[in-house]
Amino acid sequence: MSNVYPSNPDCIFCKIVAGEIPCHKVYECSNVLAFLDIGPLSEGHVLVIPKGHWETLEAVPAPIVAECAIVCKRVGRAVAKVTGCAGWNLLQNNGAVAGQEVPHVHFHIIPRAEGDGLGYRWNAGALDQDRAGQLRDAIAAAADELADQTAPQEL
Ligand code: 5GP
Ligand code: ZN
């Protein structure tokens, strides 16, 4: 029996899942698909996506998030083995303001090498100690309150 996923007929990744647009598939399981990015940042750049159409990570049911993470690990290892990269970035642009262009959740696996020049801006600030306590309390309370009903009990 095939799984039923939420789907969006206007979504390019849903079209890839449906086989309406071709892709270079590297891995597939019941809920997750991985394929080569059409605009690679480096050789072996792969996208891992849930087959269902969810725009951002918070909308994805917890077991499918877990399956995506497991596939990221497996495919990341495969990419590293084949490309011989020294390391790789796992990147998920969550929301347009965070750089997400395709509104269907996806994880980038980006092979990295010394001196590859890819980089990214990481303008680190300094954690204000007073504000840190307030933030910790507020985020901890929100995390308790927002417990995902689809997650295993301990989560
Ligand atoms: P985002 O900016 O949303 O995190 O990344 C979207 C990624 O999807 C980009 O890296 C882009 O190259 C890739 N992409 C967009 N359209 C297609 C497509 O039709 N096929 C494949 N394989 N990748 C795509
Ligand atoms: Zn979609």
Side-chain angles (χ1 to χ4, degrees):
M1 196 180 91
S2 66
N3 291 344
V4 178
Y5 315 106
S7 187
N8 179 334
D10 300 322
C11 171
I12 193 119
F13 287 175
C14 284
K15 288 180 183 168
I16 286 175
V17 169
E20 293 164 16
I21 289 180
C23 74
H24 292 91
K25 179 172 77 178
V26 299
Y27 187 80
E28 180 176 17
C29 58
S30 50
N31 295 307
V32 182
L33 180 68
F35 53 90
L36 295 180
D37 191 306
I38 204 169
L41 293 182
S42 59
E43 188 170 83
H45 183 164
V46 164
L47 298 175
V48 174
I49 70 169
K51 290 184 178 176
H53 182 88
W54 293 282
E55 207 163 312
T56 54
L57 189 60
E58 43 272 55
V60 183
I64 301 210
V65 174
E67 211 169 315
C68 287
I70 291 165
V71 173
C72 283
K73 176 180 173 179
R74 181 166 179 166
V75 173
R77 290 176 68 205
V79 166
K81 183 176 179 188
V82 169
T83 64
C85 66
W88 44 281
N89 288 112
L90 179 62
L91 176 68
Q92 197 261 321
N93 296 325
N94 202 47
V97 74
Q100 184 179 7
E101 289 184 357
V102 177
H104 178 134
V105 169
H106 51 282
F107 300 84
H108 296 261
I109 291 172
I110 306 164
R112 299 299 303 268
E114 277 306 329
D116 62 16
L118 278 180
Y120 44 75
R121 270 178 296 149
W122 192 274
N123 300 329
L127 185 61
D128 178 279
Q129 287 308 306
D130 295 332
R131 186 68 185 131
Q134 295 166 351
L135 275 175
R136 178 202 56 213
D137 291 346
I139 295 170
D144 280 344
E145 189 187 317
L146 296 175
D148 190 330
Q149 299 307 308
T150 66
Q153 207 55 46
E154 66 273 20
L155 295 178

